[in-house]
């Protein structure tokens, strides 16, 4: 279980599945939905490991609450599906999910998120809000300047999972001794065999976002 017991919600996820809750919200709003409609966005809220690890738990919680307040103002508090803070990985972070419903009950990613330029403006406004309290924060370079693509949440999660698995492999290897070498060795080899394909996949995909 590790540190997963320290995870917490600023907004609890739906009682049912996300899909059911989104469908309920969209139906209540009377929206027209196309096959290619973007219905939900999942975003990751964090900062550098050095910064996050320097904050005591209550200050970290204040950081995530401030971020949640900022996004709620932009997308509508009623559209926030969940805000889950993870304390059980190398750098604490928040997964935040919201539905793309406009005030006039339309499902529109363009109206809420806009284009690349407006998203860059979001990031600037976000930095201004956060650095007003934590003045050591620096705004990262805009993707419009670097031309780099943002790393998707699923790839970030994969990286975190691989880190955990690596630690488990190292622990398994360190437990090997003359009395348990056969059994422990076989277990470690199984773990490595399952871990390596995902490492290869992660390495290939991350290169695309570092160009």
């Amino acid at each position: 279980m590790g540190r997963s017991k320290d995870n917490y919600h600023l907004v609890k996820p739906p009682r049912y599945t996300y899909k059911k809750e989104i469908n309920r919200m969209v139906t209540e709003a009377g929206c027209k939905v196309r096959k290619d409609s973007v219905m939900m966005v999942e975003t990751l809220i964090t900062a550098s490991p050095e910064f996050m690890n320097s904050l005591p738990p209550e200050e970290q919680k204040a950081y995530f609450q401030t971020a949640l307040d900022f996004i709620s103002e932009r997308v509508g508090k009623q559209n926030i599906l969940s805000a889950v803070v993870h304390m059980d990985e190398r750098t604490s972070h928040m997964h935040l999910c919201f539905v793309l419903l406009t005030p006039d009950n339309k499902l529109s990613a363009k109206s809420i998120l806009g284009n690349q330029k407006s998203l860059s403006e979001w990031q600037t406004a976000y930095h201004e809000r956060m650095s007003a309290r934590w003045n050591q924060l620096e705004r990262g370079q805009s993707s419009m300047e670097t031309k780099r693509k943002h790393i998707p949440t699923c790839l970030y999660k994969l990286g975190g999972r691989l880190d955990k698995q690596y630690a488990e492999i190292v622990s398994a290897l360190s437990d090997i001794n003359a009395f348990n070498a056969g059994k422990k060795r076989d277990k470690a080899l199984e773990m490595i065999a399952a871990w390596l394909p995902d490492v290869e996949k992660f390495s290939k995909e991350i290169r695309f976002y570092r160009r």
Side-chain angles (χ1 to χ4, degrees):
M1 188 173 180
R3 293 171 57 202
S4 60
K5 60 181 174 54
D6 298 324
N7 297 345
Y8 59 90
H9 301 98
L10 292 180
V11 176
K12 288 187 177 181
R15 286 180 299 170
Y16 308 108
T17 65
Y18 281 81
K19 185 176 181 180
K20 283 185 178 179
E21 180 63 11
I22 293 167
N23 287 339
R24 183 195 66 78
M25 293 171 69
V26 169
T27 300
E28 283 189 3
C31 295
K32 291 182 179 179
V33 181
R34 301 192 311 268
K35 286 184 178 180
D36 62 345
S37 292
V38 178
M39 302 179 76
M40 186 192 83
V41 168
E42 180 181 10
T43 187
L44 186 84
I45 307 295
T46 189
S48 70
E50 294 77 19
F51 171 76
M52 295 307 302
N53 293 333
S54 72
L55 301 179
E58 284 306 309
E59 194 68 3
Q60 285 191 22
K61 188 171 184 177
Y63 177 88
F64 292 124
Q65 183 63 58
T66 303
L68 172 61
D69 292 343
F70 172 85
I71 294 179
S72 296
E73 291 166 14
R74 294 264 172 158
V75 308
K77 186 176 181 180
Q78 72 282 1
N79 287 333
I80 305 293
L81 280 174
S82 65
V84 185
V85 178
H86 288 260
M87 304 292 290
D88 59 341
E89 296 183 26
R90 183 179 297 177
T91 305
S92 55
H93 57 275
M94 177 168 68
H95 291 289
L96 191 152
C97 299
F98 58 89
V99 180
L100 295 161
L101 283 172
T102 65
D104 57 348
N105 288 332
K106 292 181 180 178
L107 190 64
S108 176
K110 184 177 180 181
S111 297
I112 293 178
L113 300 178
N115 55 22
Q116 189 178 20
K117 182 180 178 182
S118 60
L119 284 174
S120 181
E121 290 168 353
W122 267 54
Q123 290 174 324
T124 298
Y126 176 79
H127 173 257
E128 289 172 355
R129 173 73 65 85
M130 305 305 282
S131 62
R133 175 163 177 172
W134 298 280
N135 57 19
Q136 64 268 51
L137 289 169
E138 295 182 7
R139 191 207 188 287
Q141 277 188 288
S142 169
S143 61
M144 294 184 70
E145 297 174 3
T146 63
K147 306 302 180 186
R148 287 182 178 174
K149 298 174 176 64
H150 290 289
I151 297 174
T153 302
C154 60
L155 198 56
Y156 183 92
K157 286 181 177 179
L158 176 58
R161 189 166 73 249
L162 291 173
D163 278 348
K164 280 186 176 181
Q165 290 172 343
Y166 175 77
E168 290 169 0
I169 290 169
V170 170
S171 176
L173 290 172
S174 66
D175 285 342
I176 294 176
N177 56 50
F179 300 101
N180 63 17
K183 187 176 179 180
K184 290 284 186 177
R185 180 199 61 206
D186 291 343
K187 180 183 176 183
L189 288 174
E190 286 177 12
M191 293 170 69
I192 292 169
W195 180 70
L196 285 176
D198 282 343
V199 171
E200 185 177 359
K201 175 185 175 183
F202 179 82
S203 298
K204 285 181 179 178
E205 293 189 15
I206 201 69
R207 288 193 204 106
F208 174 77
Y209 296 95
R210 287 178 172 171
R211 289 173 184 170

